[in-house]
């Protein structure tokens, strides 16, 4: 579990493949302490969820990976994801960004456009999470997303000004630390409720796709193991990340 006196050590890297794979490599070679942050301006091959590429114009956006050693049971791994998504929501709220929501499992949206994404890679020791590499990308100063294959936006677009990346990084780390401290002192259910409160399209009809095709349904619940439960014509069905896609 993250201890209350833990501190961040920021490693500023000029250009890497991916901060997640860089952290993974160092972890394999010599191990890593909790609180190490690998921050770069440019990734040659940023990794996104579901094997996608995380695109980012050189020098424009915040790209970093944080290493924590939570020692949580593996069945609680989704809680890390929820804590981080919520920390990012609070970071954006504190920058006066309106209409920030969390799209299951941990995408950050403003309206319908994606502003930040999270890729968490856990390494286990028995049934405990030994290390979690938490990769975070926030669109900050990029203003042209025309070649992206999905709707995206940035802080600069929303505020009309350029932001200092290091200031956003520090804000973000502070929110992450605060949330893990809340969990440490036993306020996990408050954190999980805030996650649900911030969930995009919670209890609203949305267009979804599963192996059988497209349909409209409502998000009913997010389960502790990270699966989503949806209500379709009064029937409840549960999906993992691979089983369901949002069309809206
Ligand atoms: C997603 O929404 O698909 C997850 C995106 C995660 C991107 C960040 S950028 C910093 C870190 N390094 C990576 O290669 N990926 C994560």
């Amino acid at each position: 579990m993250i201890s209350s006196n833990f501190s961040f050590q920021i490693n500023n890297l000029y250009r890497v493949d991916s901060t997640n794979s860089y952290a993974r490599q160092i972890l394999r070679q010599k191990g890593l302490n909790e609180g190490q942050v690998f921050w770069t301006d440019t990734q040659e091959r940023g990794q996104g969820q579901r094997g996608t590429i995380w695109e980012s114009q050189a020098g424009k956006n915040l790209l970093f990976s944080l290493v924590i050693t939570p020692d949580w049971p593996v069945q609680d791994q989704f809680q890390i994801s929820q804590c981080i998504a919520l920390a990012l929501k609070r970071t954006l709220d504190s920058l006066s960004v309106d209409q920030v929501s969390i799209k299951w499992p941990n995408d950050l949206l403003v309206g319908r456009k994606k502003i930040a994404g999270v890729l968490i890679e856990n390494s286990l020791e028995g049934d405990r999470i030994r290390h979690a590499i938490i990769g975070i990308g926030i669109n900050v100063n990029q203003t042209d997303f025309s070649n992206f294959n999905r709707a995206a936006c940035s802080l600069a677009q929303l505020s009309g000004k350029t932001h200092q990346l290091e200031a956003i990084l520090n804000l973000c780390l502070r929110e992450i630390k605060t949330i893990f401290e809340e969990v440490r002192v036993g306020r996990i259910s408050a954190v999980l409720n805030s996650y649900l409160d911030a969930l995009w399209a919670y209890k609203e009809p949305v267009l979804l796709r599963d192996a059988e095709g497209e349909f409209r349904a409502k998000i009913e619940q997010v389960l502790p193991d990270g699966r989503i439960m949806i209500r379709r014509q009064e029937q409840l069905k549960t999906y993992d990340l691979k089983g369901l896609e949002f069309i809206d």
Side-chain angles (χ1 to χ4, degrees), residues 18 24 30 34 50 53-55 72 85 89 92 97 100 132 147 166 171 194 206 208 214 221 227 233:
S18 142
R24 222 172 29 238
K30 49 181 190 180
E34 179 153 81
R50 309 181 200 223
I53 302 271
W54 182 254
E55 296 173 274
W72 291 358
K89 154 114 176 99
L92 295 167
V97 180
V100 181
N147 62 350
E166 190 167 12
L171 268 180
S194 306
V206 273
L208 301 165
E214 289 181 14
Q221 188 56 269
R227 287 176 305 153
Q233 291 158 352

Side-chain angles (χ1 to χ4, degrees), residues 59-129:
K60 297 277 185 181
N61 299 315
L62 185 59
L63 309 163
F64 71 98
S65 300
L66 162 68
V67 178
I68 60 168
T69 55
D71 196 34
W72 291 358
V74 65
Q75 62 267 28
D76 291 346
Q77 60 183 321
F78 186 64
Q79 285 178 11
I80 299 177
S81 205
Q82 289 174 297
C83 289
I84 297 298
L86 194 57
L88 292 183
K89 154 114 176 99
R90 288 185 186 171
T91 305
L92 295 167
D93 288 348
S94 75
L95 290 162
S96 306
V97 180
D98 289 335
Q99 290 186 25
V100 181
S101 60
I102 301 169
K103 188 170 181 183
W104 176 80
N106 55 17
D107 286 353
L108 271 292
L109 301 190
V110 175
R112 288 171 171 265
K113 295 183 177 172
K114 184 154 165 175
I115 193 164
V118 183
L119 178 68
I120 303 179
E121 298 175 87
N122 294 315
S123 64
L124 308 180
E125 216 170 75
D127 62 354
R128 320 282 300 177
I129 305 166

Side-chain angles (χ1 to χ4, degrees), residues 208-242:
L208 301 165
R209 183 189 295 133
D210 68 6
E212 273 138 46
E214 289 181 14
F215 59 94
R216 206 163 268 283
K218 288 183 187 174
I219 300 172
E220 186 68 23
Q221 188 56 269
V222 175
L223 302 176
D225 63 6
R227 287 176 305 153
I228 195 165
M229 186 187 279
I230 57 134
R231 180 181 290 277
R232 184 181 177 186
Q233 291 158 352
E234 295 319 306
Q235 280 201 332
L236 292 175
K237 202 164 173 193
T238 302
Y239 293 90
D240 65 15
L241 194 55
K242 294 187 209 91

